[in-house]
DNA sequence: AGCTATTGTTAGAGTTGTCTAACAATATAT
DNA sequence: ATATATTGTTAGACAACTCTAACAATAGCT
């Protein structure tokens, strides 16, 4: 059984490992908002527990065991978010912070019940895939909208930022997962885009926004 | 905001204060399964925070503030138990341990949603009253079955032990809250009782059991 | 290649919450 | 009333997790 703190480190490691497997102490430190020396000593303890491989002055790397444990925490987080939205009438912008806490509840039965009541969902309310009980995740081929070219038509499938602030921004423009997006124009200078949303409205998005909108080409 | 540990101490203090207001360090220590010196130093910190009044070598006493804070934790615990039973298909013997964890979730909205979805329940699945948002609790006049005399007819209103083991004992005999109980005989030597349950079966209960069955005289 | 900025490490300290061992005060029993 | 048992306190230690200050290694830049 892992502590709350360990579980949060595991989750951060897994998220940051997405491209390339390697995670620098510095990135971890920034993501967790915990100072580097603290992260460094925790990584040594993680190496002891065989959750990562660690060599001085090199980025760390989750072991198979570490990946599995991280997936289990992510599974609990995403199941919780889905439960809060589907069964407790929460809005998608309200659930991340609560799930951040409930993901640490020690009760396999509790999460099994959630899973069953939800009908074994495959995605959370932000479009991220929910790992199965073995830690396997459905592969998705989403790319950020910022990587799309002019005139491309895509479907909004997920958001890579579940913060209340960002989701309120989308709510304010009635933008939902599943919406069809068409890139009308792209400003080379700052990466901002003019986008037609669901055939209805037209929006200007800064690059920061476009990086957070994960889409699938049609 | 209080820590998980502080909240657990508060809850234990409140439970033990039920008769007489005073709580000994020793009783707290036993209830929490934490050694006396640890409890002692925590009580000094509680006194600093004005949650209790503390004088050397005397039992401690919750302040008004301490009582209020304890009631809020108890409220969250009992709402959670009710939610688990009513909305997540748990049995009454499965919920206490999970509620012991969820009661510490930091999100007023989460518990408000629970309360609303449940229709503002007044009692938890074990018959204990749920404090309201101001910390007020419905007064109940339940007594343990062990205090009843022969031929008395009473209604089972609550259990004072929510452990899985005890509730399984009741499940095995199909005993439910609301059942009518009639005392057929009482053994002076060991305090055991012969009881007719809901006009159907007849059971022998040891004093240990009779102490845990909280009843209301008809 | 050599300077500089960034990243990583070591050392030392603080807080929270736990323990054991030893001692002190209070309560209980003869 | 005195001895004994119980309860409470002090002292000192330890694990987990955090920090700052100082230093070392690596990477990036002329
Ligand atoms: Mn989330
Ligand atoms: Mn978390
Ligand atoms: Mn309970
Ligand atoms: Mn608890």
């Amino acid at each position: 059984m892992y502590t709350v703190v360990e579980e949060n480190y595991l989750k951060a490691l897994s998220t940051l490992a997405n491209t390339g497997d390697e995670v620098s102490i510095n990135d971890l430190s920034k993501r967790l908002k915990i100072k580097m020396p603290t992260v460094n000593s925790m990584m040594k303890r993680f190496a002891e527990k065989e959750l990562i491989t660690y060599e001085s002055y090199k980025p760390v790397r989750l072991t198979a065991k570490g990946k599995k444990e991280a997936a289990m925490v992510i599974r609990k987080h995403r199941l919780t978010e889905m439960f809060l939205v589907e069964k407790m009438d929460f809005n998608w912008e309200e659930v991340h912070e609560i799930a951040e806490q409930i993901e640490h509840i020690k009760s396999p039965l509790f999460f099994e019940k959630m899973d069953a009541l939800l009908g074994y969902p495959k995605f959370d309310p932000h479009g991220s895939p929910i790992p199965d009980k073995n830690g396997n995740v459905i592969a998705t081929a989403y790319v950020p909208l910022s990587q799309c070219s002019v005139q491309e038509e895509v479907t909004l499938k997920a958001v890579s930022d579940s913060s209340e602030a960002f989701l309120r921004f989308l709510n304010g423009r009635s933008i939902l997962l599943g919406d069809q997006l068409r890139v009308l124009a792209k400003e080379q200078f700052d990466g901002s885009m003019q986008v037609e949303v669901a055939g209805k409205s037209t929006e200007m998005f800064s690059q920061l926004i476009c990086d957070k909108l994960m889409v699938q080409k049609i």
Side-chain angles (χ1 to χ4, degrees), chain A residues 77 81 96 126 162:
Chain A
H77 180 99
E81 289 189 340
H96 178 78
H126 309 117
S162 312

Side-chain angles (χ1 to χ4, degrees), chain A residues 29-218:
Chain A
S29 170
K30 279 173 187 149
R31 155 65 67 130
L32 290 166
K33 289 176 186 146
I34 291 171
K35 294 291 176 293
M36 281 183 50
T38 308
V39 173
N40 191 270
S41 65
M42 185 62 86
M43 287 306 96
K44 288 180 172 174
R45 285 174 43 200
F46 267 42
E48 294 286 301
K49 299 186 184 191
E50 298 185 303
L51 293 168
I52 60 164
T53 56
Y54 173 89
E55 287 176 88
S56 264
Y57 294 102
K58 288 194 183 157
V60 302
R61 197 181 279 265
L62 281 168
T63 60
K65 182 184 171 193
K67 279 179 194 162
K68 175 84 184 289
E69 298 296 347
M72 295 327 284
V73 184
I74 291 167
R75 171 176 164 76
K76 291 184 284 175
H77 180 99
R78 294 183 180 165
L79 273 178
T80 300
E81 289 189 340
M82 203 59 181
F83 185 87
L84 293 174
V85 167
E86 294 293 315
K87 303 296 176 186
M88 292 187 74
D89 300 333
F90 278 91
N91 300 316
W92 73 335
E93 77 274 12
E94 299 171 317
V95 298
H96 178 78
E97 283 309 312
I98 301 175
E100 202 60 46
Q101 299 176 62
I102 294 189
E103 68 191 2
H104 306 294
I105 298 295
K106 265 58 188 175
S107 169
L109 181 58
F110 180 63
F111 293 101
E112 273 162 33
K113 274 269 161 64
M114 264 191 189
D115 202 15
L117 288 169
L118 290 167
Y120 310 98
K122 298 277 186 292
F123 294 89
D124 81 9
H126 309 117
S128 298
I130 300 174
D132 69 18
K133 281 184 202 166
N134 303 311
N136 301 315
V137 195
I138 290 175
T140 55
Y142 308 154
V143 295
L145 180 63
S146 52
Q147 281 178 25
C148 298
S149 3
V150 174
Q151 286 308 325
E152 247 186 302
E153 277 204 77
V154 296
T155 308
L156 180 61
K157 298 292 269 185
V159 288
S160 63
D161 175 356
S162 312
S163 70
E164 196 156 344
F166 177 60
L167 298 177
R168 277 192 199 286
F169 170 90
L170 298 183
N171 289 348
R173 289 159 182 76
S174 304
I175 295 166
L176 302 170
L177 293 192
D179 281 357
Q180 303 291 314
L181 306 181
R182 194 155 61 89
V183 180
L184 298 178
K186 194 171 181 176
E187 179 55 61
Q188 292 309 317
F189 182 65
D190 66 355
S192 63
M193 286 174 148
Q194 193 183 18
V195 180
E196 184 187 281
V197 179
K200 299 174 300 203
S201 63
T202 300
E203 306 283 348
M204 276 301 301
F205 295 141
S206 70
Q207 176 150 35
L208 198 77
I209 302 294
C210 297
D211 282 341
K212 295 171 190 292
L213 299 170
M214 304 303 292
V215 304
Q216 191 166 48
K217 303 187 182 185
I218 299 171

